[in-house]
Amino acid sequence: MGRRPDWLEEAVFYEIYPQSFKDTDNDGIGNIRGITEKLSYIKELGCNAIWINPCFESPFGDAGYDVSDYYRVAPRYGSNEDLEQLFEEAHKTGIHILLDLVPGHTSWEHPWFKESQKAEKNEYTDRYIWTDSIWESPEGYASLRGISDRDGSCLVNFFTHQPALNYGFYKPDRLWQQSMDSEGARATREEIKNIMRFWLSKGCDGFRVDMAGSLVKNDEESRGTIALWQDIRGFLDKEFPEAVLISEWGEPDKSIEAGFHMDFLLHFGPSHYNDLFRCDDPFFGGKGDASEFVKKYLESCAKADNKGYICIPSGNHDMDRLAKYIKGDRAKMAFAFLLSMPGAPYIYYGDEIGMRYVEGLTSVEGGYNRTGSRSPMQWNSEKNAGFSGGDENSLYIPLDPDKDRPDVEKQLTDPGSLLNEVKKLISVRRSYRALMNSGEIKFVCDGEEGKPLIYIRSYDGERIIVALNPTDREYKMENTDVKELIYVLGDEPDMTDGKLLLKPGSAFFAII
Ligand code: NOJ
């Protein structure tokens, strides 16, 4: 992997789902200019980096994860120039921007796919993965069949309208399975480099990579996909050494070796962290158990071997909103955790004000159950919560109908709000190297049922203890010599007579 750019050390990311963030032209859908307009909000929150979900031309059968032109911003979001201007304005305020790269598949409306469906051989014949005969389906994968003059079934990656791009098979064992070195697979790889080159040279700072671990097929141990990304990282190191990559992979042992600076823990897969936030009894709900998470997290750390960050997002556009499970003040403790862990924190837009998961919505653009986590940002108590000046019925997704829905304006003026707590936590994090992204972590208490989660973050002699007690029991901490409390939530710990009692429903950070 290339060098890790210095700014990543204190990076705190904000994820923006562009359709739902801020609409400046009153068509009911968010746009790039809306993001530019809200840069100062993101800056004041304390974030210095943004990940924007796909904003490229697309028929939007999967909210833009079905690209039909990688080189053009979707007109509903504005123009390429708007995006370039966003990069420029963001950089002026010290904010970095990652775009979302979807290298695994395109929309079936992409011109490449239209060409690939033709019976006559052409430049795009091998851009996707086709069997030789319509009567043969690719084993273990879904496929598109009977849709073209071309004979064969075409492998799909996710929804039916998302045919998989051809990066080859790790060990081809059928005639139609091409190797990673085949001409078609190499051409796809080069095209992905071109797309990266295009946006990096326009000023973006890197990419969040969709389904990064699934590009090469029949690749059980991911050796092929790892090699592919190492090659791409090699190209970046030569041409754009500062370009940052984060993977949607959820297996840091693989992604970091592949050359990613960071990988996410996800709500699925081997390293999921649902026990903390998204299950019947989540740890931060007060009755759950964090010990299984701690065990798995430490395994992931060992595998990542300090070479890259493991990032724990507050949520994302695929998960239920945090607020669905963690209510009220407990959300503050959840953020005290998210903003004191190693790796770069990622705040999903609206989580910082406790936006709710909106129940009962009809699916929008392939969102299905995810639609409730994608509703418009709530800026104020004016029309459409300040998201759009357009007609209420034109909104991309209906607003949270709750009359007490949280909004930014209200929370900014309330010193006890979640928003102000998140701001405070980010500022504490960014004041101590030990709390930043590459400070070490050692768990002191693993949050098994009825117990708190306690860990020590350290960097170069600076040591900070983080104690989080969402339970309703007091906890006596052993051998902790507190020098200075730097953050307290709820009741202060009782430190009289040399003891240290962590109060129920409270948290603190202290220099030790
Ligand atoms: C993961 C993305 O986060 C999700 O929203 C999308 O539907 C799938 N990948 C397919 O691209």
Side-chain angles (χ1 to χ4, degrees):
M1 190 203 320
R3 210 180 61 81
R4 184 190 292 163
D6 293 340
W7 67 268
L8 266 193
E9 174 59 15
E10 53 175 318
V12 179
F13 281 83
Y14 192 77
E15 178 194 342
I16 295 181
Y17 189 71
Q19 12 320 39
S20 297
F21 194 57
K22 174 70 189 169
D23 168 22
T24 59
D25 57 7
N26 301 339
D27 62 355
I29 193 149
N31 52 15
I32 304 286
R33 287 187 183 191
I35 301 176
T36 310
E37 195 176 293
K38 292 295 182 185
L39 281 173
S40 54
Y41 167 74
I42 296 165
K43 173 91 181 162
E44 275 159 36
L45 180 61
C47 293
N48 55 358
I50 297 174
W51 150 35
I52 308 176
N53 293 108
C55 55
F56 311 107
E57 275 222 336
S58 162
F60 295 102
D62 185 15
Y65 283 94
D66 48 332
V67 178
S68 57
D69 185 348
Y70 289 94
Y71 297 96
R72 253 195 90 191
V73 166
R76 73 188 203 180
Y77 297 133
S79 62
N80 283 17
E81 290 68 39
D82 290 340
L83 189 53
E84 280 181 61
Q85 196 184 354
L86 170 62
F87 299 151
E88 224 174 276
E89 296 299 320
H91 292 160
K92 279 190 205 152
T93 58
I95 292 181
H96 297 83
I97 310 256
L98 302 194
L99 296 177
D100 207 318
L101 180 72
V102 190
H105 46 267
T106 67
S107 158
W108 61 9
E109 288 186 25
H110 196 296
W112 300 341
F113 190 61
K114 294 199 173 139
E115 286 300 304
S116 195
Q117 290 178 76
K118 292 186 177 159
E120 316 80 58
K121 199 166 166 46
N122 62 55
E123 192 184 339
Y124 300 101
T125 299
D126 295 328
R127 179 62 42 105
Y128 299 84
I129 305 169
W130 293 82
T131 65
D132 289 336
S133 150
I134 185 77
W135 310 120
E136 179 175 2
S137 296
E139 211 189 323
Y141 295 94
S143 63
L144 279 163
R145 301 175 60 230
I147 52 152
S148 63
D149 293 342
R150 176 178 179 165
D151 196 4
S153 311
C154 182
L155 194 151
V156 306
N157 245 9
F158 196 67
F159 291 149
T160 310
H161 53 74
Q162 290 162 314
L165 286 161
N166 176 25
Y167 294 90
F169 284 70
Y170 187 54
K171 286 187 186 148
D173 64 2
R174 316 277 300 172
L175 264 183
W176 54 268
Q177 297 184 352
Q178 304 188 347
S179 74
M180 290 175 65
D181 280 337
S182 62
E183 207 182 315
R186 275 190 286 118
T188 312
R189 188 191 296 200
E190 291 313 308
E191 190 57 37
I192 289 299
K193 290 181 190 168
N194 279 339
I195 295 162
M196 297 172 103
R197 198 177 270 127
F198 181 82
W199 289 111
L200 287 166
S201 59
K202 295 213 177 299
C204 93
D205 298 287
F207 302 93
R208 173 267 187 187
V209 179
D210 187 67
M211 295 175 70
S214 65
L215 300 190
V216 177
K217 306 302 181 197
N218 283 8
D219 185 23
E220 262 169 45
E221 307 290 317
S222 310
R223 296 319 305 170
T225 302
I226 291 171
L228 177 107
W229 282 111
Q230 286 173 338
D231 173 58
I232 295 179
R233 185 68 244 176
F235 135 72
L236 291 174
D237 287 345
K238 256 196 232 127
E239 295 183 31
F240 301 95
E242 293 282 301
V244 164
L245 290 183
I246 175 156
S247 49
E248 186 204 28
W249 198 321
E251 293 179 74
D253 47 332
K254 297 179 175 163
S255 52
I256 307 296
E257 185 188 348
F260 287 87
H261 296 103
M262 324 175 248
D263 192 10
F264 284 118
L265 297 192
L266 301 164
H267 54 302
F268 57 87
S271 58
H272 80 80
Y273 64 112
N274 296 342
D275 304 357
L276 299 186
F277 302 118
R278 292 176 179 81
C279 62
D280 287 344
D281 273 322
F283 175 74
F284 284 104
K287 298 216 160 24
D289 186 333
S291 59
E292 194 51 34
F293 160 78
V294 171
K295 196 168 137 249
K296 282 195 296 183
Y297 179 77
L298 287 174
E299 280 165 18
S300 294
C301 289
K303 289 175 180 169
D305 191 22
N306 284 329
K307 295 197 176 93
Y309 298 149
I310 297 166
C311 301
I312 312 177
S314 70
N316 70 23
H317 59 290
D318 295 330
M319 298 184 202
D320 288 350
R321 284 265 184 201
L322 186 70
K324 180 167 176 181
Y325 303 92
I326 312 292
K327 313 243 185 245
D329 268 1
R330 291 192 186 279
K332 293 181 180 169
M333 199 176 303
F335 273 100
F337 164 78
L338 292 164
L339 291 163
S340 63
M341 285 295 280
Y346 277 72
I347 299 174
Y348 181 51
Y349 85 94
D351 278 353
E352 75 278 18
I353 56 169
M355 265 175 64
R356 297 188 324 151
Y357 175 86
V358 184
E359 304 279 353
L361 293 178
T362 305
S363 176
V364 175
E365 294 187 345
Y368 302 98
N369 64 312
R370 305 175 294 182
T371 306
S373 298
R374 300 174 172 186
S375 62
M377 178 70 177
Q378 295 151 200
W379 294 104
N380 55 40
S381 54
E382 289 158 32
K383 182 178 178 188
N384 296 328
F387 160 68
S388 166
D391 189 84
E392 189 190 343
N393 299 319
S394 72
L395 299 192
Y396 170 74
I397 290 174
L399 275 157
D400 177 356
D402 187 348
K403 65 174 180 10
D404 291 325
R405 66 184 169 222
D407 68 54
V408 170
E409 200 172 274
K410 251 187 288 185
Q411 293 208 5
L412 279 176
T413 55
D414 170 7
S417 68
L418 180 59
L419 178 57
N420 279 317
E421 199 70 22
V422 171
K423 275 183 159 186
K424 191 199 294 178
L425 281 159
I426 297 179
S427 125
V428 172
R429 178 183 182 92
R430 293 184 64 185
S431 308
Y432 297 93
R433 273 308 281 267
L435 288 176
M436 287 185 203
N437 301 356
S438 48
E440 278 171 32
I441 186 164
K442 196 168 155 257
F443 287 91
V444 176
C445 183
D446 67 1
E448 77 179 78
E449 203 180 328
K451 289 195 179 159
L453 189 57
I454 305 175
Y455 42 91
I456 295 171
R457 300 289 317 278
S458 58
Y459 186 91
D460 208 11
E462 181 179 71
R463 279 159 52 84
I464 293 175
I465 191 159
V466 174
L468 308 162
N469 185 13
T471 76
D472 52 14
R473 293 188 213 159
E474 189 168 78
Y475 184 79
K476 183 163 178 287
M477 292 169 63
E478 307 287 341
N479 307 326
T480 309
D481 191 10
V482 167
K483 292 203 181 92
E484 187 191 345
L485 283 174
I486 56 171
Y487 170 79
V488 177
L489 175 66
D491 294 334
E492 277 204 12
D494 180 354
M495 296 195 280
T496 46
D497 309 326
K499 61 179 181 317
L500 184 55
L501 290 178
L502 177 61
K503 299 292 182 179
S506 80
F508 72 85
F509 303 172
I511 302 177
I512 54 170

